[in-house]
């Protein structure tokens, strides 16, 4: 005869609790490993982008130095000197970015923001403007014609088209005449 009393359910309940606990631990470990992996991939992508930015800055610095050489040979020696200084500083910044981690660069930006708040805000504004110009120039066309006199109504479905009907007023003819 099978006994289904309290004695038989004790070990089964303990086994079930242990299995649930093991499953929870396994899921938690998996989630932790995946989060670490995703974080590592994000850091790697950010580092790659940092290095690309440093290379681009180096290229701009080189171009400025070439322009400075041409300006020096002409009548614009003062502008050439300024351009050369700008190119040299940009090259220095490029090398500095290349050799540092992202956290060090963030610390440098924070220190600069504390020491030179107006310059920092100016640079941030210029960077924001450049980013918005880049994003708007690289955005796909929305399909709306840019010509004058064209309307969007032809692209809307009949149920979404703006209404051109006039709403009725609550004034009667006699009230309307009274206001005249």
């Amino acid at each position: 005869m099978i006994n289904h009393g309290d004695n038989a359910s004790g070990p089964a309940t303990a086994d079930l609790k242990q299995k649930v606990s093991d499953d929870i631990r396994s899921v938690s470990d998996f989630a932790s490993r995946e989060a670490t992996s995703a974080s590592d991939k994000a850091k790697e992508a950010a580092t790659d982008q940092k290095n690309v930015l440093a290379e681009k800055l180096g290229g701009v610095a080189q171009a400025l130095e070439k322009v400075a050489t041409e300006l020096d040979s002409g009548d614009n020696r003062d502008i050439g000197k300024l351009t050369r200084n700008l190119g040299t500083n940009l090259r220095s910044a490029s090398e500095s970015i290349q050799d540092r981690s992202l956290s060090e660069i963030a610390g440098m930006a924070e220190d600069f923001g504390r020491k030179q708040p107006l310059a920092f805000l100016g640079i941030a504004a210029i960077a924001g403007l450049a980013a918005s110009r880049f994003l708007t120039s690289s955005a796909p066309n929305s399909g709306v014609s840019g010509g004058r006199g064209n309307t969007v109504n032809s692209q809307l479905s009949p149920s979404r088209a703006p209404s051109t009907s006039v709403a009725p007023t609550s004034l009667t003819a006699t009230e309307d005449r009274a206001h005249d």
Side-chain angles (χ1 to χ4, degrees):
M1 189 161 144
I2 300 174
N3 184 1
H4 293 293
D6 291 334
N7 294 341
S9 67
T13 302
D15 286 344
L16 184 59
K17 286 182 181 179
Q18 182 62 38
K19 287 180 182 179
V20 168
S21 176
D22 290 344
D23 287 346
I24 289 172
R25 190 176 306 112
S26 174
V27 168
S28 176
D29 290 343
F30 176 76
S32 177
R33 283 191 309 270
E34 289 300 312
T36 301
S37 174
S39 175
D40 291 343
K41 287 179 183 177
K43 286 178 184 176
E44 184 179 322
T47 300
D48 289 345
Q49 290 301 315
K50 173 197 66 110
N51 291 336
V52 167
L53 174 65
E55 289 175 13
K56 299 277 185 189
L57 286 176
V60 170
Q62 183 178 6
L64 285 172
E65 290 168 349
K66 285 181 182 179
V67 168
T69 302
E70 290 180 18
L71 289 171
D72 283 341
S73 65
D75 292 337
N76 298 316
R77 291 193 176 144
D78 292 336
I79 296 173
K81 183 179 177 181
L82 291 173
T83 306
R84 184 173 314 286
N85 286 340
L86 182 60
T88 302
N89 290 336
L90 200 54
R91 181 175 305 286
S92 173
S94 170
E95 291 168 356
S96 180
I97 289 172
Q98 188 84 26
D99 296 337
R100 291 201 163 84
S101 70
L102 292 173
S103 60
E104 289 174 319
I105 293 170
M108 289 169 47
E110 187 176 328
D111 288 342
F112 179 73
R114 283 191 191 122
K115 292 176 184 174
Q116 301 289 333
L118 292 178
F120 183 79
L121 289 175
I123 291 169
I126 291 170
L129 179 63
S132 69
R133 297 286 291 174
F134 173 74
L135 291 174
T136 55
S137 69
S138 63
N141 291 338
S142 62
V144 177
S145 175
R148 291 186 176 185
N150 294 340
T151 61
V152 181
N153 291 345
S154 62
Q155 295 175 353
L156 297 175
S157 65
S159 63
R160 307 248 336 175
S163 173
T164 57
S165 64
V166 177
T169 62
S170 61
L171 295 176
T172 62
T174 57
E175 290 174 337
D176 192 30
R177 278 187 241 128
H179 290 290
D180 288 341

